[in-house]
Amino acid sequence: MHELRKDYIFDRWVIVNTERAKRPRDFIKQHPKIAESGACAFCPGNEGMTPPEIARVEENAQWVLRCFENKFPAVSTAGKPLLKTKKVFFTSGTAFGKHEVIVETPLHSQRFFELPKERIAKYLKLLFSRRNALYKIPGIKFVAMFKNHGLEAGTSLAHEHTQIIAYNLLPGNVEREIKSILDYKKKHKKCPYCEVIKLERNSPRKIAESKNFFAFTPYASIFEFEAGIFSKHGENSFSELDESQLLDLAELIKMLLSRLSAIDAPYNLYFHEAPPGKKEHLHVKIIPRLITWGGFEHCTGCIINTVSPEQAAAFYKGEQE
């Protein structure tokens, strides 16, 4: 079946083409390996190979999480955060901000999903505390929190880690999402994502839910096996979450990534929220990177997805291999 589907709130379309569908195990392939040579800067004993430590979490007098500035940052606090228009078509400015790294485990070969949920909750607490600190820097408009796993997902280091980039620009996709939510609220007096959760709770796209979070595959997913974890209570900021909510979120992240590991999928994981002063329904996105987009996708902006969200949800629930 060929079906056009529109995103819940964006004017963004996807073609779900199940005639080209593959079973999850058909995506298993030999992925290119990350080249490694010499000592790993993220391993215990090599702390002197990284920039000065910003924060750490210890267990039994040994670190289990470390945070420090990226040795090769994408942004810098040198210069001023203002953007200037020199001419009509030429706007520029300093890429102002901070770029940090969180090493998620002291064990070089340990995968993120293998961590106990309690450790993942500690990781989330550290991540969101850094988010809070970075937003206090004058000129910072957005803090991006994301994890790349696998060479095809954009990572160059095998040791599991997360990146945080705080910079002087509100991303266009975040701005559009905030506007779409505000427009919907103005018209319907309701949060669109709260309504989506109500509708998806009884749909074949539901994966799982806990006391505080709901996991599902979006109706118009643009990536094969794309999944989202949304707050059930509509919090706008990850800094609003308490200890029990962090543990709750950790458990769902662990569950979804554990299932994704069955097909050894490279992926991006990111934490989506509005910056301070703005409102958006916080959520976590898991984006497997299994397919290379071709000319049609780049030409039209319309994505062809060969795994329906319903099939993807069945995979995450263990109903399809």
Side-chain angles (χ1 to χ4, degrees):
M1 180 182 68
H2 302 75
E3 184 180 13
L4 273 167
R5 293 188 182 184
K6 181 185 173 297
D7 182 80
Y8 299 114
I9 61 174
F10 289 138
D11 186 19
R12 184 181 68 200
W13 293 80
V14 61
I15 295 174
V16 178
N17 184 358
T18 55
E19 289 186 6
R20 293 167 57 184
K22 300 178 181 179
R23 296 181 66 82
R25 63 170 174 264
D26 294 331
F27 284 93
I28 299 174
K29 65 178 183 178
Q30 189 67 38
H31 297 286
K33 296 187 181 297
I34 297 169
E36 296 188 80
S37 61
C40 171
F42 293 174
C43 283
N46 299 332
E47 290 82 0
M49 296 175 65
T50 70
E53 194 172 278
I54 296 170
R56 70 162 55 191
V57 174
E58 293 188 350
E59 291 179 5
N60 301 318
Q62 301 291 328
W63 70 262
V64 293
L65 296 162
R66 290 184 72 230
C67 178
F68 44 84
E69 289 195 21
N70 193 305
K71 193 173 183 178
F72 306 101
V75 294
S76 169
T77 51
K80 296 182 179 180
L82 298 177
L83 300 178
K84 296 181 180 179
T85 303
K86 296 180 180 179
K87 293 182 180 180
V88 175
F89 298 109
F90 302 98
T91 301
S92 65
T94 301
F96 176 90
K98 287 269 193 177
H99 189 169
E100 298 181 358
V101 171
I102 293 179
V103 178
E104 302 157 3
T105 170
L107 303 179
H108 185 78
S109 298
Q110 187 175 37
R111 301 281 71 92
F112 185 72
F113 75 88
E114 295 173 328
L115 297 173
K117 65 180 181 180
E118 292 80 9
R119 178 83 62 77
I120 296 176
K122 289 181 180 180
Y123 152 85
L124 293 173
K125 186 175 182 179
L126 174 60
L127 176 65
F128 302 148
S129 71
R130 292 309 306 151
R131 171 254 186 225
N132 294 344
L134 291 167
Y135 266 125
K136 293 178 181 178
I137 299 173
I140 294 300
K141 293 189 176 180
F142 189 74
V143 176
M145 301 172 284
F146 61 96
K147 171 181 172 56
N148 303 330
H149 173 79
L151 196 62
E152 294 132 306
T155 192
S156 58
L157 296 171
H159 199 129
E160 297 278 75
H161 63 285
T162 294
Q163 298 184 64
I164 312 169
I165 299 180
Y167 71 126
N168 55 327
L169 187 69
L170 181 62
N173 64 323
V174 176
E175 194 166 25
R176 286 191 296 273
E177 191 157 1
I178 292 170
K179 184 180 184 304
S180 295
I181 289 172
L182 288 175
D183 288 346
Y184 186 93
K185 284 182 176 180
K186 185 176 180 179
K187 184 176 180 180
H188 300 282
K189 312 301 180 185
K190 298 176 181 178
C191 166
Y193 285 134
C194 288
E195 294 301 294
V196 166
I197 289 171
K198 289 179 185 177
L199 294 170
E200 294 289 17
R201 183 166 282 147
N202 297 310
S203 85
R205 292 173 293 277
K206 175 183 174 180
I207 301 172
E209 69 176 304
S210 60
K211 180 181 178 181
N212 300 291
F213 293 93
F214 182 77
F216 64 105
T217 53
Y219 173 73
S221 300
I222 63 173
F223 293 91
E224 282 77 0
F225 303 102
E226 176 182 343
I229 304 173
F230 281 66
S231 162
K232 288 167 64 173
H233 308 303
E235 288 90 352
N236 297 299
S237 167
F238 287 100
S239 64
E240 297 177 37
L241 303 181
D242 61 25
E243 299 279 349
S244 64
Q245 288 172 307
L246 293 178
L247 192 62
D248 207 358
L249 178 58
E251 188 167 16
L252 278 179
I253 291 174
K254 178 179 172 66
M255 186 198 86
L256 268 61
L257 293 184
S258 296
R259 284 295 298 150
L260 204 54
S261 72
I263 56 173
D264 192 27
Y267 65 84
N268 303 117
L269 180 150
Y270 66 88
F271 300 85
H272 202 85
E273 64 171 2
K278 298 184 183 294
K279 292 187 177 182
E280 186 184 0
H281 196 129
L282 70 82
H283 53 279
V284 178
K285 273 292 184 73
I286 296 173
I287 306 294
R289 302 296 295 275
L290 295 162
I291 298 294
T292 301
W293 288 350
F296 177 78
E297 284 83 358
H298 291 291
C299 174
T300 65
C302 182
I303 309 304
I304 299 174
N305 189 338
T306 61
V307 177
S308 75
E310 293 75 19
Q311 291 170 316
F315 163 74
Y316 279 114
K317 288 182 285 191
E319 298 171 358
Q320 187 179 84
E321 298 297 334

